[in-house]
Amino acid sequence: WSLIDWECILNLTNVNNKWYLYSACILTDNNENYIVTSNASEKHNNESIKVFNLNGIQIKTFNNSNETTLFVDNYYDDKTNKNYIISCSLGHSKSYDFRSGEVYRIYSEKNKSCSGSAVIKNNENIIKLIDSSADGYIRIYNFHSGEYLSKIKVIDKFLYGLCLWNNNFIFVGCGDKTIKLIDLDNEKVVESLSGHKNSVLTIKKLIHPLYGEYLLSQGLNDDKIKIWINKIDFS
C-alpha cells in the first residue's frame, strides 16, 4: 500500500496453498526491494518461505517446507554487509542468509514451545535475538553464535508481537489482552497496558510529528487498531 495516497501497489494472490498467511516483510538488498512471506500448511508440508520482487514474481524460496512459520522479518548486519531473514515457528526461531537461502542459525532452548515473534538488539558487543513464545517467556540468544543466554517470565499464556523500545526495554503483546513493558537490563515486567478485547498480536513503534514516539497495536479480532502515546501537555 502507498502511504501517500493509500492505493494498493501490489496484490500477491495464492501465496500459500489455501492456508494461512501469518506474516510478511519488505527487504532491500543491493538497492532492490523484495517481499518475504511466511508459510503455513494444514499438514505442515508443501509450503516454504517465499521471496517476491515488486512485480509480483516469485524469485526464491527458503528450505523449511515442513514447518509452519508464524513470523518473518529481516535484519541487516552492517559489519558483515549481509541481510538475514528472521523466522519464528514451532519450537524455535531461525535466521537465514538472504542471498544464499541457507539456514544461518537455529535459536532454541530445551522444551521450548512455539515462537511468536522476534527482534534484534544490536547496540552492544553481542548482537542479540529476542523472541516470544507460547509458554509465556521471552528468550534471549546470541544472534551470530545461536547460544541461548537467558529468559524472562512474562505471563502464563501465549506471547505474540515484540517491539524494542530504545534498546533497554521491550514491549510484548500478550494472550491475556495486555501489552507488557519489560526492562531488559533488570529482566522484569515494569508496566502493563490494558485496552484490547483479545490477545494482542502485533505491536510496532512509530514516529508521529506531534506525538513523537508512539506504539501501535492490533488484537485478535479487534475492530480497531490502537495508538498509545505518552501523556503530553499541548497547552
Side-chain angles (χ1 to χ4, degrees), residues 1-229:
W1 298 88
S2 167
L3 296 183
I4 298 175
D5 54 18
W6 303 108
E7 292 294 324
C8 181
I9 297 172
L10 178 63
N11 184 23
L12 298 176
T13 60
N14 298 320
V15 174
N16 286 68
N17 187 21
K18 297 181 180 179
W19 202 244
Y20 299 110
L21 182 64
Y22 289 104
S23 180
C25 68
I26 295 177
L27 178 149
T28 301
D29 191 66
N30 290 331
N31 297 317
E32 296 290 335
N33 296 312
Y34 303 95
I35 297 173
V36 182
T37 65
S38 64
N39 67 292
S41 173
E42 184 177 7
K43 297 181 180 179
H44 305 295
N45 57 18
N46 300 322
E47 289 293 353
S48 58
I49 293 175
K50 298 177 178 126
V51 180
F52 299 83
N53 62 24
L54 291 193
N55 293 318
I57 299 172
Q58 183 179 331
I59 61 171
K60 185 184 300 188
T61 62
F62 290 87
N63 61 346
N64 69 331
S65 59
N66 292 321
E67 60 188 37
T68 293
T69 304
L70 302 179
F71 171 86
V72 290
D73 204 352
N74 66 284
Y75 165 62
Y76 175 72
D77 188 337
D78 55 7
K79 293 182 179 179
T80 61
N81 188 31
K82 284 188 176 182
N83 264 307
Y84 297 93
I85 297 297
I86 309 300
S87 72
C88 295
S89 55
L90 303 178
H92 54 250
S93 297
K94 283 184 179 180
S95 56
Y96 296 85
D97 185 309
F98 176 73
R99 293 168 190 168
S100 71
E102 296 297 318
V103 174
Y104 179 62
R105 293 289 182 268
I106 297 176
Y107 310 93
S108 186
E109 185 205 6
K110 185 178 180 181
N111 298 324
K112 180 182 178 181
S113 55
C114 179
S115 295
S117 183
V119 293
I120 303 296
K121 186 176 186 294
N122 62 359
N123 68 328
E124 302 175 354
N125 294 328
I126 299 176
I127 298 174
K128 297 177 180 179
L129 180 141
I130 305 171
D131 69 8
S132 61
S133 67
D135 60 7
Y137 282 94
I138 289 174
R139 289 175 171 82
I140 303 172
Y141 305 87
N142 183 313
F143 174 76
H144 284 299
S145 72
E147 177 189 3
Y148 164 74
L149 300 175
S150 63
K151 63 183 177 183
I152 304 168
K153 182 67 174 182
V154 182
I155 59 172
D156 291 323
K157 294 187 176 182
F158 210 120
L159 300 180
Y160 296 94
L162 293 172
C163 174
L164 195 62
W165 195 272
N166 301 333
N167 278 309
N168 296 320
F169 297 89
I170 196 166
F171 283 104
V172 56
C174 301
D176 65 355
K177 309 176 187 179
T178 67
I179 299 171
K180 304 293 189 191
L181 178 62
I182 313 299
D183 181 336
L184 292 175
D185 291 334
N186 296 302
E187 298 192 343
K188 65 179 182 179
V189 177
V190 294
E191 189 67 62
S192 181
L193 306 177
S194 300
H196 279 281
K197 300 176 182 178
N198 213 324
S199 300
V200 183
L201 304 183
T202 302
I203 50 177
K204 294 290 183 181
K205 176 182 177 180
L206 298 172
I207 306 295
H208 189 279
L210 180 61
Y211 302 135
E213 296 177 333
Y214 71 93
L215 195 69
L216 182 148
S217 64
Q218 182 181 21
L220 176 64
N221 294 328
D222 274 3
D223 56 357
K224 295 179 181 178
I225 293 174
K226 297 188 182 297
I227 294 175
W228 308 79
I229 64 171

